[in-house]
Amino acid sequence: MILITRPVEDAIYLQQRLRSLNIESLMEPLFVLQPLWFDVAELIAAKIVVSSKNAIRALTWAKASRDLQLYTMSDNIAEFAIFSRFSNVVSCGCGTANELEAYVLSHFSKDEKVIYLSGAEITRDIVSSCLERGFKSVERRICYMMCPVKEFSSNVYAALMRRNISGVILLSVQAAVLCKSLFLKYGISPNFFSYFVMSPRIASTLSCDTVYVSSVPTLDALVDVIERHYYVERKT
């Protein structure tokens, strides 16, 4: 069984893909979304750059105008924004924050008003890079934070005690750090599991014996890695 450490609404796709491979899974969000207040009026007439679905959720929570100019990092986030009834959405078609930064630098005018809408923690300071290159009006607005859980749910705890879980999906450095600390809290060695991650940075954070990294940072590539290695690990 594989533990999916994503919010339920984001984990459903992974669970469905794993089920098609006859791989059981449990969904266990390690962080809880906490929207933060911000002045949505400041977003009007600006190009709004978002790199996560949580920023879209925060916009919805804040009752922001549905015709804001949204530029999402990926097609997946763009689809979610449209599903959330935002009508003016452009996908930058990027897979990483570095690629998103390059897109903004090459496609946006230095005279335009640009706002990077993000969570409290980011992996790339896009705003500073833009300002260093002469952009006149680029700002960051923090619209949410992710609050870590303090313990596993009863279902996951029971599965861990029965040793039913042999693999873990981790999609951020923060999730990797928290997951390891929770395992240690329950007296479980992190090295007992195989980990499936989307970046070498997450893998290096884990520093565990068995970590598989997808070739590109997409969910489909991650599922491909799981398909290649999960049953092999189960047999060894």
Side-chain angles (χ1 to χ4, degrees):
M1 183 181 292
I2 290 181
L3 185 66
I4 305 174
T5 61
R6 295 286 285 170
V8 172
E9 56 269 31
D10 294 333
I12 290 174
Y13 174 76
L14 276 172
Q15 188 171 63
Q16 290 173 340
R17 288 293 310 276
L18 294 179
R19 186 180 295 123
S20 72
L21 299 173
N22 294 317
I23 298 175
E24 289 185 278
S25 63
L26 276 177
M27 296 185 287
E28 182 78 341
L30 296 183
F31 294 88
V32 178
L33 175 67
Q34 176 61 60
L36 301 176
W37 183 91
F38 61 101
D39 188 356
V40 293
E42 295 182 355
L43 306 181
I44 297 173
K47 288 189 172 181
I48 313 302
V49 178
V50 296
S51 55
S52 73
K53 290 182 180 179
N54 285 331
I56 303 297
R57 294 185 179 105
L59 283 172
T60 302
W61 174 81
K63 295 180 171 55
S65 169
R66 290 302 197 270
D67 60 0
L68 293 172
Q69 299 180 71
L70 299 183
Y71 290 79
T72 68
M73 183 170 74
S74 66
D75 295 345
N76 186 37
I77 300 172
E79 291 170 2
F80 181 73
I82 293 170
F83 176 79
S84 301
R85 299 186 178 180
F86 289 94
S87 59
N88 193 359
V89 182
V90 176
S91 171
C92 300
C94 303
T96 66
N98 287 359
E99 292 175 2
L100 179 61
E101 178 184 294
Y103 181 97
V104 171
L105 291 172
S106 61
H107 288 78
F108 289 11
S109 167
K110 293 181 180 180
D111 294 322
E112 292 178 306
K113 180 181 179 181
V114 179
I115 294 179
Y116 179 35
L117 204 60
S118 74
E121 297 186 19
I122 54 176
T123 59
R124 187 78 178 177
D125 190 351
I126 295 174
V127 170
S128 293
S129 296
C130 288
L131 292 173
E132 289 170 0
R133 288 164 176 78
F135 280 71
K136 297 177 182 178
S137 181
V138 183
E139 301 176 7
R140 178 186 172 205
R141 289 290 180 272
I142 299 174
C143 60
Y144 70 91
M145 64 184 298
M146 301 304 294
C147 302
V149 300
K150 296 181 179 180
E151 58 187 15
F152 287 122
S153 65
S154 57
N155 287 342
V156 168
Y157 176 76
L160 288 169
M161 293 301 100
R162 293 193 298 265
R163 296 199 170 190
N164 289 343
I165 296 172
S166 59
V168 182
I169 293 174
L170 296 166
L171 302 186
S172 72
V173 169
Q174 293 81 7
V177 172
L178 178 57
C179 193
K180 280 187 68 174
S181 69
L182 288 175
F183 286 149
L184 293 172
K185 175 181 178 179
Y186 288 101
I188 302 170
S189 170
N191 279 317
F192 175 77
F193 308 94
S194 297
Y195 297 91
F196 303 95
V197 304
M198 290 204 301
S199 77
R201 187 163 173 257
I202 301 173
S204 63
T205 299
L206 283 166
S207 297
C208 290
D209 294 340
T210 309
V211 183
Y212 299 103
V213 183
S214 60
S215 57
V216 292
T218 67
L219 294 181
D220 288 332
L222 187 65
V223 172
D224 288 342
V225 169
I226 296 171
E227 184 177 13
R228 288 199 305 272
H229 295 286
Y230 179 72
Y231 286 114
V232 174
E233 287 295 324
R234 295 274 290 174
K235 292 176 182 177
T236 57

